[in-house]
Amino acid sequence: MTGALRQRWDRWLARRIPAAGSVQLNQRRIFILPSRVGVAFLLALLVMLLAAINYQSSLAYGLTFLLGSVFVVTILHTYRNLAGLVLHAGGAGAVFAGEAARLRVRLESRGRAHEAIALGWPPAELQQQDVPAQGSVECELTLQTQRRGWLQPGRLRVESRFPLGLLVAWSHVDLDQAVLVYPRPLEGELPLAAGGDEDDEQAGLVSQGQGSDDFQGLRTYQPGDSRRRMHWKAYSRGQGLLVKDFAAQCGRDLLLDFDALTGDLESRLSLLCHWVLVLSERQQPFALQLPNESLPVAIGERHREQCLRALALHGARG
């Protein structure tokens, strides 16, 4: 399908099946055509009909018309298996770029049972579900993410080939779903001391408030700790990787500053994303400074989500 035809088709679908969080399939929203098996079946019927005409065989006529009537009846049953099905959009949790987004869709029957309902986003393989009569079933669909921001999966394909597979009845519904995709975390050195020295400023960490750099002791090395804080003498004595702990880590708040970093936009956001996760895990207060946006010093799950959301949507239109 060319680009112009695709656009016209999308506009026609938008008018016929508008986006909604809940959609019930009816005659206006269901399309039906012979499947590949059905096309082969029709060709076989045509050959049988020509043979019956050529040999004037009543048995061949009878078999051809019998199989033809089976095909016609199958059209009705294939359509009825999809008609009346209700699709409800479920929740979708945020993910990091490169991970698979999980979107939930609930299928509901308000009448008869619906057998072997397949749904998904081509070209990925469709997931198949059976919906009991007067019941519902929830399925979780996966979609691979590539970049940060809002991921809108587009129209969901719902189809049925039940009962014989000779025809395929389908619909393209837009459940108005969206998934927030955070930047892909990029590991980098994370100095924990908030002394505001040259090392911290180069790393994009600027201290705020008062504090002291009193030595508190040694603790086990964690990924992201500054190598300048490592206690090499203890490592040489076979005591493992230890780092020096200072009071400033708890007495000062850190500022993750976008402008203090170098590199392209996505790499900066990915580094900040990594630091947001690390500092949140360590329960250390911090602030986030982005161009045209600033988040004050805070701590906790809500602050973590606000920072990640700001990173995901930085520069996004609307």
Side-chain angles (χ1 to χ4, degrees):
M1 185 179 295
T2 63
L5 288 177
R6 182 67 184 181
Q7 292 179 0
R8 293 180 62 182
W9 168 255
D10 290 340
R11 289 195 298 267
W12 183 81
L13 272 181
R15 292 192 303 267
R16 192 175 183 89
I17 314 176
S22 179
V23 176
Q24 183 174 16
L25 301 182
N26 53 32
Q27 184 177 0
R28 286 179 51 82
R29 295 168 177 168
I30 297 177
F31 313 96
I32 186 167
L33 282 174
S35 63
R36 292 183 179 180
V37 176
V39 171
F41 185 83
L42 290 175
L43 291 176
L45 287 182
L46 178 60
V47 172
M48 292 174 60
L49 179 61
L50 293 177
I53 294 174
N54 182 61
Y55 293 103
Q56 292 296 310
S57 172
S58 301
L59 182 60
Y61 276 121
L63 181 59
T64 302
F65 294 146
L66 175 62
L67 294 178
S69 63
V70 170
F71 184 87
V72 173
V73 173
T74 303
I75 297 176
L76 176 61
H77 283 279
T78 304
Y79 165 78
R80 282 168 55 87
N81 189 55
L82 202 58
L85 181 67
V86 183
L87 294 92
H88 301 278
V95 296
F96 294 94
E99 295 180 345
R102 293 176 171 83
L103 299 97
R104 290 187 292 274
V105 177
R106 182 163 59 90
L107 306 178
E108 179 186 352
S109 170
R110 297 178 179 176
R112 71 182 70 88
H114 302 273
E115 307 289 341
I117 303 298
L119 65 163
W121 290 278
E125 185 177 356
L126 304 186
Q127 181 175 330
Q128 199 168 94
Q129 294 283 349
D130 294 331
V131 185
Q134 300 291 337
S136 64
V137 61
E138 186 172 281
C139 56
E140 188 177 74
L141 305 176
T142 59
L143 191 64
Q144 194 64 33
T145 62
Q146 297 181 351
R147 58 181 65 88
R148 65 180 176 89
W150 284 111
L151 171 63
Q152 295 177 324
R155 291 189 172 271
L156 177 71
R157 180 179 175 91
V158 186
E159 70 174 39
S160 169
R161 299 172 186 260
F162 182 86
L164 299 180
L166 299 179
L167 297 108
V168 53
W170 83 95
S171 183
H172 287 160
V173 298
D174 188 351
L175 296 179
D176 201 20
Q177 292 177 294
V179 180
L180 184 59
V181 182
Y182 299 142
R184 185 197 307 266
L186 178 63
E187 292 187 7
E189 186 173 303
L190 175 59
L192 294 180
D197 56 22
E198 181 179 357
D199 293 337
D200 293 342
E201 292 177 0
Q202 289 179 352
L205 296 174
V206 181
S207 63
Q208 296 180 332
Q210 300 297 323
S212 63
D213 290 330
D214 296 335
F215 178 72
Q216 296 294 296
L218 300 176
R219 60 174 176 79
T220 305
Y221 170 81
Q222 298 180 13
D225 287 336
S226 174
R227 292 185 177 86
R228 296 181 179 272
R229 302 294 182 184
M230 294 182 66
H231 197 272
W232 296 108
K233 292 183 179 180
Y235 180 73
S236 64
R237 292 195 294 265
Q239 297 179 4
L241 288 176
L242 302 175
V243 293
K244 302 175 184 178
D245 202 5
F246 290 87
Q249 295 174 0
C250 299
R252 293 189 181 182
D253 302 321
L254 298 178
L255 171 65
L256 301 181
D257 190 0
F258 177 90
D259 292 330
L261 301 176
T262 59
D264 59 73
L265 172 65
E266 297 303 326
S267 64
R268 294 190 195 188
L269 295 176
S270 295
L271 284 169
L272 291 174
C273 179
H274 169 73
W275 289 341
V276 166
L277 296 175
V278 172
L279 292 177
S280 298
E281 183 178 356
R282 296 176 184 176
Q283 296 295 306
Q284 183 170 354
F286 65 93
L288 177 64
Q289 180 66 49
L290 297 173
N292 304 321
E293 187 174 7
S294 178
L295 294 176
V297 175
I299 193 173
E301 186 68 19
R302 182 178 179 182
H303 181 58
R304 172 183 178 272
E305 297 303 322
Q306 289 176 340
C307 291
L308 291 176
R309 183 184 181 91
L311 294 173
L313 301 179
H314 175 68
R317 296 180 180 179

